Amino acid sequence: MTAAEAMEEVRRRDAVELEWLGTTTEGRPAFAEAEVLDRQGIPSCHVWRVPNGEVPPHLSATQVLRRWQAGACAMCSARPQRLLVDHCHRTGLVRGLLCTSCNTAEGLQSAPSFVAYRGRPPAVMLGVDEMYGSPWGEEIAPSSASPEERIHRNAAHVDAAEALFAGIADRFRA
């Protein structure tokens, strides 16, 4: 592929993404408005508009989340310099992108907004599915495994980690 063809492909993909997103990133609640939603048990992302149509096939689930969230935390709408990839430790599936504060609180909170977020995270809202990788760049359960095998292997991994660190996290809970 020539440089000109590559640039044309980039422009084509950008156009596809912009068409898919439409105006869904406009008119979202600001941080202060998201705080009111949180008190009502509603994560910020639950009031965001979801794009119509099929997700562009050239995007990974994490890329889809990055495009749709447009730099905003799914819980509080804050716009930090970086968002963290939140995932379910039981299944290993990516859920959404959170600011550092919300990502930390998510693991320690049973507040209604966090329960709602876990029940319907951005990845579910957008219909995307991706396994979270390990810190060493590998999936805990390979994507070639069946969904049941992946969940079982990830759950076993979490169980082993919880047994190893039993009691340590309790010191950080309120």
CSV table of all heavy atoms in Angstrom, one decimal, residues 87-114:
chain,number,residue,atom,x,y,z
A,87,HIS,N,-12.3,-3.3,34.2
A,87,HIS,CA,-12.7,-4.6,33.7
A,87,HIS,C,-13.2,-5.4,34.9
A,87,HIS,O,-12.9,-5.1,36.1
A,87,HIS,CB,-11.5,-5.4,33.1
A,87,HIS,CG,-10.4,-5.7,34.1
A,87,HIS,ND1,-9.5,-4.8,34.6
A,87,HIS,CD2,-10.1,-6.9,34.6
A,87,HIS,CE1,-8.7,-5.4,35.4
A,87,HIS,NE2,-9.0,-6.6,35.5
A,88,CYS,N,-14.0,-6.4,34.6
A,88,CYS,CA,-14.6,-7.3,35.6
A,88,CYS,C,-13.5,-8.3,36.0
A,88,CYS,O,-13.0,-9.0,35.1
A,88,CYS,CB,-15.8,-8.0,35.1
A,88,CYS,SG,-16.5,-9.2,36.2
A,89,HIS,N,-13.1,-8.4,37.3
A,89,HIS,CA,-12.1,-9.3,37.7
A,89,HIS,C,-12.6,-10.8,37.7
A,89,HIS,O,-11.8,-11.7,37.6
A,89,HIS,CB,-11.6,-8.9,39.1
A,89,HIS,CG,-10.8,-7.7,39.1
A,89,HIS,ND1,-9.4,-7.7,39.3
A,89,HIS,CD2,-11.1,-6.4,38.9
A,89,HIS,CE1,-9.0,-6.5,39.2
A,89,HIS,NE2,-10.0,-5.7,38.9
A,90,ARG,N,-13.9,-10.9,37.7
A,90,ARG,CA,-14.5,-12.3,37.7
A,90,ARG,C,-14.5,-12.9,36.2
A,90,ARG,O,-14.1,-14.0,36.0
A,90,ARG,CB,-15.9,-12.3,38.2
A,90,ARG,CG,-16.6,-13.6,38.3
A,90,ARG,CD,-16.1,-14.5,39.4
A,90,ARG,NE,-15.8,-14.0,40.7
A,90,ARG,CZ,-15.0,-14.6,41.5
A,90,ARG,NH1,-14.5,-15.8,41.3
A,90,ARG,NH2,-14.7,-14.0,42.7
A,91,THR,N,-14.9,-12.1,35.3
A,91,THR,CA,-15.0,-12.6,33.9
A,91,THR,C,-13.8,-12.2,33.0
A,91,THR,O,-13.5,-12.8,32.0
A,91,THR,CB,-16.2,-12.0,33.2
A,91,THR,OG1,-16.1,-10.6,33.1
A,91,THR,CG2,-17.5,-12.4,33.9
A,92,GLY,N,-13.1,-11.1,33.4
A,92,GLY,CA,-12.0,-10.6,32.6
A,92,GLY,C,-12.4,-9.7,31.5
A,92,GLY,O,-11.6,-9.3,30.7
A,93,LEU,N,-13.7,-9.4,31.4
A,93,LEU,CA,-14.2,-8.6,30.3
A,93,LEU,C,-14.0,-7.1,30.6
A,93,LEU,O,-14.3,-6.6,31.7
A,93,LEU,CB,-15.7,-8.9,30.0
A,93,LEU,CG,-16.0,-10.3,29.4
A,93,LEU,CD1,-17.5,-10.5,29.4
A,93,LEU,CD2,-15.3,-10.4,28.1
A,94,VAL,N,-13.6,-6.3,29.6
A,94,VAL,CA,-13.5,-4.9,29.7
A,94,VAL,C,-14.9,-4.3,29.8
A,94,VAL,O,-15.8,-4.7,29.2
A,94,VAL,CB,-12.8,-4.3,28.4
A,94,VAL,CG1,-12.9,-2.8,28.4
A,94,VAL,CG2,-11.4,-4.7,28.4
A,95,ARG,N,-15.1,-3.3,30.8
A,95,ARG,CA,-16.4,-2.7,31.0
A,95,ARG,C,-16.4,-1.3,30.5
A,95,ARG,O,-17.4,-0.9,29.9
A,95,ARG,CB,-16.7,-2.7,32.5
A,95,ARG,CG,-17.0,-4.1,33.1
A,95,ARG,CD,-17.5,-4.0,34.5
A,95,ARG,NE,-16.5,-3.6,35.4
A,95,ARG,CZ,-16.4,-4.2,36.6
A,95,ARG,NH1,-17.3,-5.1,37.0
A,95,ARG,NH2,-15.4,-3.8,37.4
A,96,GLY,N,-15.4,-0.5,30.7
A,96,GLY,CA,-15.5,0.9,30.3
A,96,GLY,C,-14.2,1.6,30.7
A,96,GLY,O,-13.2,0.9,31.2
A,97,LEU,N,-14.2,2.9,30.5
A,97,LEU,CA,-13.0,3.7,30.9
A,97,LEU,C,-13.4,4.6,32.0
A,97,LEU,O,-14.4,5.3,32.0
A,97,LEU,CB,-12.6,4.5,29.7
A,97,LEU,CG,-12.3,3.7,28.4
A,97,LEU,CD1,-12.0,4.7,27.3
A,97,LEU,CD2,-11.1,2.8,28.6
A,98,LEU,N,-12.6,4.6,33.1
A,98,LEU,CA,-12.8,5.4,34.3
A,98,LEU,C,-11.6,6.2,34.7
A,98,LEU,O,-10.5,5.9,34.4
A,98,LEU,CB,-13.1,4.4,35.5
A,98,LEU,CG,-14.3,3.5,35.3
A,98,LEU,CD1,-14.4,2.6,36.6
A,98,LEU,CD2,-15.6,4.3,35.2
A,99,CYS,N,-11.9,7.3,35.4
A,99,CYS,CA,-10.8,8.1,35.9
A,99,CYS,C,-10.2,7.3,37.1
A,99,CYS,O,-10.8,6.3,37.6
A,99,CYS,CB,-11.4,9.5,36.4
A,99,CYS,SG,-12.5,9.4,37.8
A,100,THR,N,-9.1,7.7,37.5
A,100,THR,CA,-8.4,7.0,38.6
A,100,THR,C,-9.2,6.9,39.9
A,100,THR,O,-9.3,5.8,40.5
A,100,THR,CB,-7.0,7.7,38.9
A,100,THR,OG1,-6.3,7.8,37.8
A,100,THR,CG2,-6.3,7.0,40.0
A,101,SER,N,-9.9,8.0,40.2
A,101,SER,CA,-10.7,8.0,41.5
A,101,SER,C,-11.9,7.0,41.3
A,101,SER,O,-12.1,6.2,42.3
A,101,SER,CB,-11.3,9.4,41.7
A,101,SER,OG,-10.3,10.3,42.0
A,102,CYS,N,-12.6,7.0,40.2
A,102,CYS,CA,-13.7,6.1,40.1
A,102,CYS,C,-13.3,4.7,39.9
A,102,CYS,O,-13.9,3.8,40.4
A,102,CYS,CB,-14.6,6.5,38.9
A,102,CYS,SG,-15.5,8.1,39.2
A,103,ASN,N,-12.1,4.5,39.2
A,103,ASN,CA,-11.6,3.1,39.1
A,103,ASN,C,-11.3,2.5,40.5
A,103,ASN,O,-11.6,1.3,40.7
A,103,ASN,CB,-10.4,3.1,38.2
A,103,ASN,CG,-10.0,1.7,37.8
A,103,ASN,OD1,-10.8,0.9,37.2
A,103,ASN,ND2,-8.8,1.3,38.0
A,104,THR,N,-10.7,3.3,41.3
A,104,THR,CA,-10.3,2.8,42.7
A,104,THR,C,-11.6,2.6,43.5
A,104,THR,O,-11.8,1.6,44.1
A,104,THR,CB,-9.4,3.9,43.4
A,104,THR,OG1,-8.3,4.1,42.6
A,104,THR,CG2,-9.1,3.4,44.8
A,105,ALA,N,-12.5,3.6,43.4
A,105,ALA,CA,-13.8,3.4,44.2
A,105,ALA,C,-14.6,2.3,43.7
A,105,ALA,O,-15.3,1.6,44.5
A,105,ALA,CB,-14.6,4.7,44.1
A,106,GLU,N,-14.6,2.0,42.4
A,106,GLU,CA,-15.4,0.9,41.8
A,106,GLU,C,-15.2,-0.4,42.5
A,106,GLU,O,-16.1,-1.1,42.8
A,106,GLU,CB,-15.2,0.8,40.3
A,106,GLU,CG,-16.2,-0.1,39.6
A,106,GLU,CD,-15.8,-1.5,39.7
A,106,GLU,OE1,-14.6,-1.9,39.7
A,106,GLU,OE2,-16.8,-2.4,39.9
A,107,GLY,N,-13.9,-0.7,42.8
A,107,GLY,CA,-13.6,-1.9,43.4
A,107,GLY,C,-14.0,-2.0,44.9
A,107,GLY,O,-14.0,-3.1,45.4
A,108,LEU,N,-14.3,-0.9,45.5
A,108,LEU,CA,-14.5,-0.9,46.9
A,108,LEU,C,-15.9,-0.4,47.3
A,108,LEU,O,-16.3,-0.4,48.4
A,108,LEU,CB,-13.5,0.1,47.6
A,108,LEU,CG,-12.1,-0.2,47.4
A,108,LEU,CD1,-11.2,0.9,47.9
A,108,LEU,CD2,-11.7,-1.5,48.0
A,109,GLN,N,-16.7,-0.1,46.3
A,109,GLN,CA,-18.0,0.5,46.5
A,109,GLN,C,-19.2,-0.4,46.2
A,109,GLN,O,-19.1,-1.2,45.2
A,109,GLN,CB,-18.2,1.8,45.6
A,109,GLN,CG,-17.4,2.9,46.0
A,109,GLN,CD,-17.9,3.6,47.3
A,109,GLN,OE1,-19.1,3.6,47.5
A,109,GLN,NE2,-17.0,4.2,48.0
A,110,SER,N,-20.2,-0.3,47.0
A,110,SER,CA,-21.5,-1.0,46.7
A,110,SER,C,-22.6,0.0,46.5
A,110,SER,O,-23.8,-0.3,46.6
A,110,SER,CB,-21.8,-2.0,47.7
A,110,SER,OG,-21.9,-1.4,49.0
A,111,ALA,N,-22.2,1.3,46.3
A,111,ALA,CA,-23.2,2.4,46.1
A,111,ALA,C,-24.0,2.1,44.9
A,111,ALA,O,-23.6,1.4,43.9
A,111,ALA,CB,-22.5,3.7,45.9
A,112,PRO,N,-25.3,2.5,44.9
A,112,PRO,CA,-26.2,2.2,43.7
A,112,PRO,C,-25.7,2.6,42.4
A,112,PRO,O,-25.9,1.8,41.4
A,112,PRO,CB,-27.5,3.0,44.1
A,112,PRO,CG,-27.4,3.1,45.6
A,112,PRO,CD,-26.0,3.2,45.9
A,113,SER,N,-24.9,3.7,42.2
A,113,SER,CA,-24.4,4.1,40.9
A,113,SER,C,-23.4,3.1,40.4
A,113,SER,O,-23.3,2.8,39.2
A,113,SER,CB,-23.9,5.5,40.9
A,113,SER,OG,-22.8,5.6,41.9
A,114,PHE,N,-22.5,2.6,41.3
A,114,PHE,CA,-21.5,1.6,40.9
A,114,PHE,C,-22.2,0.2,40.6
A,114,PHE,O,-21.8,-0.4,39.7
A,114,PHE,CB,-20.5,1.4,42.0
A,114,PHE,CG,-19.5,2.5,42.1
A,114,PHE,CD1,-19.6,3.5,43.0
A,114,PHE,CD2,-18.5,2.6,41.1
A,114,PHE,CE1,-18.7,4.6,43.0
A,114,PHE,CE2,-17.6,3.7,41.1
A,114,PHE,CZ,-17.7,4.7,42.1
